[in-house]
Amino acid sequence: MTDETANNWDSAAYDDSHSFVYEYGSNVVALLDPAPGERVLDLGCGTGHLTARIEEMGADVVGLDQSAEMIETAREAHPEINFVRADARHVDLATFGERAPFDAVFSNAALHWIDEQDAVLDAVTDVLRPGGRFVAELGGSGNVGTIVNALSAEIDAREYDPPSEPWYFPTVGEHASTLEAHGFEVRYARLFDRPTELDDGANGLAAWLEMFGDRLFGSVPDDDRDSVVAAVEDRLRDDLYDDGTWTIDYRRLRFVAVLTE
Ligand code: BEZ
């Protein structure tokens, strides 16, 4: 994932310490259930682990991500797969030449980085064939709420400007309505809690904030950031840290939607 204005992506750290992102994503590949020969676009493919899994199942898959570093790592790891560096808000059929239209668009843990969901859905409807499916998982309403609240309280206590709405974490109703407004029929949608254990022991929360949390820090100056992180750890330790492991309150929204003919 993806929008380079959103976060600075370190693809090695992403693979080493945050592998849960694509490990949990295997369930979303199972929901996609790609058939051999199907044309699939993996939107926000990151380092390409799930793109490769879709390819192993026999589909003809293209991975797309906006981060140059993620795409470079994906190409090195999977030279046989076609990876495209592009902004999901601005792709169309011409971006993919003869490889499109696609039978399915797949996305794991990427859509919540993109504020302009209408632009993404315009792009998805353009590259998908009529009757094709959009299968995805993103953060859902309330996702990582304890972290957002603790950081907001700390930023408030230090009288910095708060961040604006950091991510797109919709309810089922909000997202289903947006999909319907773009011509999709929603066949399946579910919001569920998925408490997620972080790697890196006592450093897990700090490493997570370093990897994913840029948008949460508002106007905190760089030289106060470590101190803010330490204070947030203190605020959250009783609730989220146990036996050497941080477990954070992920909530996922998973859906299958079919583009009406
Ligand atoms: C998520 O995958 O749920 C997530 C990613 C980045 C920031 C917050 C949540």
Side-chain angles (χ1 to χ4, degrees):
M1 337 79 342
T2 99
D3 185 344
E4 65 191 7
T5 60
N7 225 73
N8 296 314
W9 292 108
D10 173 344
S11 60
Y14 180 78
D15 272 357
D16 290 347
S17 297
H18 308 284
S19 54
F20 64 84
V21 177
Y22 59 82
E23 283 161 5
Y24 278 115
S26 297
N27 297 329
V28 195
V29 175
L31 190 63
L32 171 70
D33 193 18
E38 270 198 318
R39 294 171 163 200
V40 178
L41 174 65
D42 180 1
L43 202 77
C45 63
T47 52
H49 286 272
L50 297 178
T51 328
R53 204 156 300 169
I54 293 167
E55 203 251 352
E56 282 159 19
M57 295 169 86
D60 180 9
V61 64
V62 176
L64 178 145
D65 206 288
Q66 183 171 358
S67 158
E69 181 167 349
M70 290 290 191
I71 286 292
E72 194 184 323
T73 305
R75 284 184 179 142
E76 276 166 16
H78 310 288
E80 73 289 2
I81 298 179
N82 193 259
F83 289 100
V84 174
R85 184 187 174 208
D87 183 330
R89 295 166 298 185
H90 302 309
V91 293
D92 58 20
L93 273 180
T95 312
F96 304 100
E98 290 180 353
R99 308 196 71 123
F102 295 99
D103 298 301
V105 174
F106 168 87
S107 183
N108 178 57
L111 296 174
H112 46 238
W113 291 101
I114 307 172
D115 297 329
E116 300 93 337
Q117 291 296 311
D118 287 320
V120 177
L121 286 169
D122 283 345
V124 171
T125 52
D126 197 58
V127 302
L128 205 50
R129 69 164 170 77
R133 63 203 189 282
F134 187 17
V135 178
E137 183 174 299
L138 66 157
S141 168
N143 193 33
V144 296
T146 51
I147 298 176
V148 173
N149 290 342
L151 204 42
S152 299
E154 191 57 35
I155 285 173
D156 197 38
R158 295 180 189 224
E159 298 185 353
Y160 294 127
D161 295 333
S164 48
E165 193 64 35
W167 299 288
Y168 174 70
F169 293 149
T171 63
V172 167
E174 281 163 352
H175 201 62
S177 302
T178 308
L179 286 162
E180 285 171 0
H182 286 266
F184 285 93
E185 184 177 73
V186 179
R187 298 279 177 91
Y188 171 91
R190 186 173 167 233
L191 176 70
F192 58 99
D193 293 323
R194 196 199 67 200
T196 298
E197 289 189 3
L198 303 179
D199 292 339
D200 284 346
N203 192 47
L205 182 60
W208 186 91
L209 285 167
E210 168 84 13
M211 186 69 177
F212 298 109
D214 268 359
R215 289 185 176 191
L216 284 179
F217 283 85
S219 68
V220 175
D222 285 349
D223 62 4
D224 202 24
R225 200 154 150 156
D226 287 350
S227 162
V228 169
V229 170
V232 167
E233 287 174 330
D234 289 344
R235 284 176 184 266
L236 294 176
R237 197 166 281 107
D238 282 351
D239 289 336
L240 303 185
Y241 188 67
D242 187 38
D243 208 14
T245 301
W246 288 94
T247 302
I248 62 175
D249 54 336
Y250 270 35
R251 303 188 89 202
R252 317 313 285 168
L253 195 162
R254 197 176 275 185
F255 67 86
V256 176
V258 172
L259 189 59
T260 50
E261 321 239 348

